[in-house]
């Protein structure tokens, strides 16, 4: 399956990352509306600095079928992205939304594939 990841893919700014005790939630300045196979780019604002509890999962608030939904953020091999695992400010991440079960999976970092395969 081919997904369009060219320069026209929209970039969304993450304006806050907050702790709801069991996970950290990323919120976007403009909430992306996603359906299965939608590719987006996102970056964390320079001003976001969080003294995060290491090891908690990160989820993203997105719009799925008209409903604000928290979906897990996955790395390029499908593992949960957790606090303390290297998300950086001013870095552009390309991610694809999957609907079975809802998740946002990182496929590129700063335009480079996550895996060299």
């Amino acid at each position: 399956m081919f997904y369009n990841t060219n320069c026209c893919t929209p970039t969304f700014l993450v304006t806050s990352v907050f702790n709801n005790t069991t996970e950290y939630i990323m919120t976007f300045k403009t909430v992306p509306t996603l359906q299965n196979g939608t590719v987006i780019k996102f970056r964390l604002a320079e001003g976001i600095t969080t003294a995060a509890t290491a090891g908690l999962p990160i989820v993203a608030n997105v719009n799925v079928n008209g409903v604000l939904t928290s979906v897990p953020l996955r790395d390029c091999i499908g593992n949960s992205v957790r606090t303390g695992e290297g998300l950086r400010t001013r870095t552009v991440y390309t991610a694809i939304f999957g609907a079975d079960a809802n998740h946002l999976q990182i496929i590129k970092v700063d335009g480079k594939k996550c895996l060299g395969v």
Side-chain angles (χ1 to χ4, degrees):
M1 197 171 273
F2 174 77
Y3 298 100
N4 184 8
T5 59
N6 65 23
C7 63
C8 298
T9 302
T11 301
F12 293 89
L13 179 65
V14 176
T15 55
S16 69
V17 179
F18 63 93
N19 184 348
N20 78 347
T21 68
T22 60
E23 61 196 7
Y24 277 80
I25 300 174
M26 292 187 341
T27 56
F28 297 92
K29 181 177 182 178
T30 303
V31 178
T33 298
L34 306 177
Q35 57 186 335
N36 195 46
T38 300
V39 175
I40 65 167
K41 294 178 184 175
F42 70 89
R43 67 180 177 82
L44 281 70
E46 183 177 358
I48 293 176
T49 54
T50 304
T53 304
L56 290 179
I58 299 173
V59 299
N61 276 342
V62 297
N63 188 336
V64 180
N65 296 324
V67 177
L68 187 64
T69 307
S70 293
V71 299
L73 187 61
R74 305 276 185 211
D75 66 13
C76 58
I77 58 173
N79 296 322
S80 292
V81 174
R82 298 181 183 279
T83 52
E85 291 183 349
L87 282 184
R88 303 282 182 245
T89 58
R90 296 178 290 162
T91 298
V92 176
Y93 296 91
T94 303
I96 187 167
F97 176 74
D100 184 19
N102 286 344
H103 65 283
L104 194 59
Q105 186 160 351
I106 296 171
I107 55 176
K108 291 183 182 178
V109 178
D110 279 340
K112 298 178 181 131
K113 289 182 185 178
C114 289
L115 294 174
V117 292

